[in-house]
């Protein structure tokens, strides 16, 4: 009888150790997965251009959103959109974002380069108090967003 009890105790102990190991391993894996950065993300927003908001092209271009590709491969952003809460929409046209690269989308007018794109607007887009920048792919699927302030339905610049 004592061999049977010892065998059962060893089996129970082994099962307990196995269960504890599994319980510890799952949260660590989930935590690692949550820390992984998205493939393409809104990495920074300068919604309040430094200095006075005088609506000059220089001031408009100091208002921008940065999009970063965290993968090694280039991503075709053709047809993707960047939108604010009021519906102002910038559509990417014929643009590939290189792997591990960032592009800055300025509000004002300018000449597009690999690192800087321009919305060619004559008015500010991003509300200084609160707004949300939303990035969607060419199938209108949500990719990322960045919000500041609190949700509002009020004034603009």
């Amino acid at each position: 009888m004592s061999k049977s009890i010892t065998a059962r105790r060893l089996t129970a102990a082994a099962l307990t150790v196995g269960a504890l190991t599994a319980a510890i391993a799952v949260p660590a894996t989930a935590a690692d997965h949550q820390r992984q950065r998205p493939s393409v993300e809104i990495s920074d927003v300068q919604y309040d251009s430094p200095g006075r908001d005088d609506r000059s092209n220089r001031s408009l271009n100091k208002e921008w959103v940065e999009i970063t590709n965290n993968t090694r491969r280039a991503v075709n952003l053709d047809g993707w959109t960047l939108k604010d809460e009021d519906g102002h929409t910038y559509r990417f046209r014929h643009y590939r974002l290189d792997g591990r690269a960032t592009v800055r989308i300025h509000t004002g007018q300018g000449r597009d380069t690999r690192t800087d794109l321009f919305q060619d607007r004559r008015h500010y887009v991003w509300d200084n108090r609160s707004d949300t920048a939303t990035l969607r792919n060419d199938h209108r699927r949500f990719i990322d967003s960045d919000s500041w302030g609190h949700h509002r339905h009020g004034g603009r610049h």
Side-chain angles (χ1 to χ4, degrees), residues 83-86 126 130-134 145-148 151-152:
K83 190 175 187 176
D84 77 339
E85 285 183 356
D86 288 332
W126 310 108
S130 66
D131 209 340
T132 299
T134 302
S145 68
D146 192 5
S147 296
W148 54 95
H151 291 293
R152 56 111 185 116

Side-chain angles (χ1 to χ4, degrees), residues 24-36:
I24 291 169
V26 170
T29 304
D32 290 343
H33 182 69
Q34 288 175 348
R35 282 187 225 136
Q36 186 178 9

Side-chain angles (χ1 to χ4, degrees), residues 111-127:
R111 185 169 175 240
D112 292 344
T113 67
R114 291 182 79 118
T115 58
D116 295 276
L117 299 174
F118 297 85
Q119 295 189 48
D120 294 330
R121 296 184 182 274
R122 297 179 191 269
H123 301 284
Y124 298 99
V125 172
W126 310 108
D127 191 294

Side-chain angles (χ1 to χ4, degrees), residues 29-41 70-71 100:
T29 304
D32 290 343
H33 182 69
Q34 288 175 348
R35 282 187 225 136
Q36 186 178 9
R37 298 179 89 179
S39 301
V40 177
E41 68 177 337
N70 295 312
T71 70
R100 308 263 188 248

